[in-house]
Amino acid sequence: MVATSQKTDLRYTWKVTASSFLGNTLEYYDFLVYGTAAAVVFPKVFFPDASGFVATLSAFGTFAVGFLARPLGGLFFGSRGDRHGRKSTLMVTLVVMGVSTILIGLLPGYATIGIWAPILLVALRLLQGFAVGGEWGGSMIIVLESAPPHRRGFFSAWPNTGGFSAQILITGVFAYVYTLSDEQLLSWGWRIPFLLSAVVLVVTFWMRRSLHETPVFTKAVAGETATGGKPANPIRQIFVDDWRNLLLILGLRFAEALPYFLLTVFALSYGTNTLGLEKSQLNNAILIAAVLSFISHGVFAAISDRIGRRPVYLFGAVVVFVMAFPFFAMLHSGSLVLIVLGYVLVLNLGHNAINAIQPAFFAELFPAERRYTGAAAGREIASIFAGGLTPFVATALAGSDGTRWPLVAAYVMVGAAVTMFAVWKAPEPFRRDLTTTGTTVR
């Protein structure tokens, strides 16, 4: 009987993991498809009156706008998830996120409705970012709180590969889109990737309907309310009781977000427009790194369940720091082999060591009754500085002719150094009891 129960629980854990994986695939698909379009198409569709460099900056500016709404979404949906449950909150974030992306795909361009085109683009980008702010934290926590205690890092790592499964989807879709003529691409071809997100939305919604609330929330939060306890305001509490952990998360994100958006968004624009590389070269490099990420995530996460989160996280930050300048040398070589090697070293060896354990690491820093709010808001506040501004800052640092690329490499090294310092100051939470309430990790 015990063995059967354990098998059933493990099957359910995999089911929760699969639904969160699909949700995060949609999250990253929505954001990355926008980033890809911002690098290649949006300057011409929504900012045609600006010069090439200014139009690219404007398009990347709208990319960054989505990150401004993410902390608000993290606070709003995190608070809702900590008060009313993880599952119902995730149903809302999923629908809002998917619908806003589909509407972007239906949006008329500047040539049709003038200034209203970029205005509506920014509005939908804000809505998209607002929903994404609550999606990541909730989908990771529902897995973490449903997994066996000794395998929390392993299971929660798989949803975080959503960024790479999304990249595989985007690469495949844009491989077709890039075969279209310029006229077809700018009129209707760019809309295809946005509209296809409807497929992931429907499948994920269907899977999440059958999930139930996590045992941790039921025992530690809902149970406390049922016995007459008055739930505290998790938003106020994280800034009063958990501000140290919020600062740690800010520092911990730089070595993860900077290289990711640098290689998947900025490098597409820089490589094609400045270095004259073929789009297919960069897409192939990203595709190979994305496929290998499924292996590296599982390996790094399993290791963190044995030796802790901090050593693995530190390893990834050091790799990103060391590879900042060599990556650009490989990119400038124009050799597909060297470009692929650069992507593999930075993303699979550096970024993935961090990204694989980030869900467990961040969530374990907070007690049960404000875990969703703390992890989601902390990550999304950090996203503004460590992720959303990366393509914009990198483009500005490189200059219109791209000759100042060493500044971009130095920018990545500074970010990695900040993360190394944050790891040094962070506690090791990987053996913490997730049902603990009312305390913080120091």
Side-chain angles (χ1 to χ4, degrees):
M1 180 66 70
V2 173
T4 301
S5 176
Q6 288 177 342
K7 289 180 180 179
T8 301
D9 290 342
L10 195 57
R11 283 199 296 269
Y12 179 74
T13 300
W14 277 114
K15 181 179 180 180
V16 175
T17 303
S19 70
S20 292
F21 166 77
L22 288 174
N24 274 270
T25 296
L26 179 62
E27 171 194 341
Y28 281 100
Y29 181 91
D30 291 349
F31 258 64
L32 288 174
V33 75
Y34 190 102
T36 303
V40 180
V41 178
F42 282 1
K44 298 176 181 177
V45 174
F46 292 99
F47 307 96
D49 292 340
S51 65
F53 179 64
V54 173
T56 300
L57 280 179
S58 299
F60 282 153
T62 62
F63 177 81
V65 160
F67 285 83
L68 298 178
R70 288 174 69 158
L72 297 177
L75 289 169
F76 175 82
F77 290 113
S79 177
R80 187 190 187 284
D82 281 330
R83 290 170 176 263
H84 304 291
R86 309 344 185 177
K87 176 193 168 180
S88 63
T89 302
L90 284 172
M91 297 297 288
V92 177
T93 61
L94 178 71
V95 172
V96 175
M97 185 173 61
V99 170
S100 61
T101 302
I102 294 170
L103 290 177
I104 290 176
L106 297 173
L107 194 62
Y110 188 92
T112 304
I113 59 174
I115 191 63
W116 281 105
I119 291 175
L120 291 174
L121 179 66
V122 170
L124 289 172
R125 180 65 171 166
L126 286 170
L127 185 62
Q128 186 189 56
F130 184 73
V132 167
E135 171 66 26
W136 184 90
S139 61
M140 299 302 167
I141 288 170
I142 200 171
V143 173
L144 189 81
E145 293 182 345
S146 301
H150 62 289
R151 301 184 70 186
R152 298 193 307 227
F154 177 78
F155 277 102
S156 61
W158 292 110
N160 226 22
T161 60
F164 295 97
S165 57
Q167 194 66 64
I168 293 173
L169 292 175
I170 291 170
T171 301
V173 172
F174 271 93
Y176 164 72
V177 170
Y178 288 150
T179 64
L180 301 175
S181 66
D182 288 344
E183 182 180 355
Q184 292 173 322
L185 175 64
L186 296 178
S187 61
W188 56 267
W190 68 269
R191 302 179 186 278
I192 295 175
F194 288 90
L195 299 178
L196 284 177
S197 66
V199 177
V200 183
L201 170 62
V202 171
V203 174
T204 309
F205 184 87
W206 175 76
M207 289 191 67
R208 282 190 177 172
R209 287 184 61 193
S210 62
L211 300 183
H212 53 69
E213 193 48 76
T214 71
V216 172
F217 177 84
T218 302
K219 177 181 178 181
V221 183
E224 182 178 329
T225 303
T227 57
K230 183 179 180 181
N233 184 344
I235 296 178
R236 185 191 68 82
Q237 279 193 289
I238 64 168
F239 289 108
V240 173
D241 299 325
D242 299 305
W243 62 269
R244 293 177 182 85
N245 291 331
L246 294 179
L247 288 178
L248 283 175
I249 290 176
L250 173 61
L252 290 170
R253 283 226 61 194
F254 277 97
E256 173 261 327
L258 280 184
Y260 184 73
F261 288 108
L262 184 77
L263 270 62
T264 59
V265 179
F266 168 77
L268 288 176
S269 175
Y270 178 78
T272 56
N273 298 332
T274 302
L275 301 182
L277 299 174
E278 294 292 331
K279 296 185 185 77
S280 59
Q281 282 184 292
L282 298 174
N283 278 329
N284 289 336
I286 293 172
L287 180 61
I288 292 171
V291 172
L292 292 176
S293 293
F294 292 95
I295 300 173
S296 55
H297 267 69
V299 171
F300 286 127
I303 292 173
S304 78
D305 279 331
R306 290 180 174 271
I307 67 174
R309 317 300 184 207
R310 294 174 71 244
V312 180
Y313 213 102
L314 180 62
F315 170 79
V318 170
V319 171
V320 171
F321 181 89
V322 171
M323 283 299 303
F325 274 89
F327 171 77
F328 276 94
M330 294 175 177
L331 193 64
H332 278 250
S333 72
S335 166
L336 177 61
V337 174
L338 290 178
I339 292 173
V340 169
L341 179 61
Y343 270 83
V344 169
L345 290 174
V346 176
L347 287 181
N348 298 126
L349 200 61
H351 170 273
N352 289 175
I354 297 172
N355 197 55
I357 63 173
Q358 199 174 80
F361 198 176
F362 288 4
E364 288 166 344
L365 291 174
F366 299 91
E369 75 272 17
R370 53 184 185 271
R371 179 169 296 129
Y372 196 154
T373 308
R379 181 180 185 268
E380 303 311 338
I381 290 172
S383 292
I384 298 176
F385 305 99
L389 292 175
T390 297
F392 182 87
V393 172
T395 300
L397 288 175
S400 58
D401 57 359
T403 57
R404 299 200 305 265
W405 66 264
L407 294 178
V408 181
Y411 172 50
V412 175
M413 292 183 72
V414 170
V418 170
T419 294
M420 287 187 277
F421 177 77
V423 174
W424 176 57
K425 298 294 290 184
E428 180 54 77
F430 81 118
R431 296 196 185 279
R432 184 182 185 190
D433 179 5
L434 292 183
T435 62
T436 303
T437 62
T439 58
T440 58
V441 177
R442 300 300 185 194

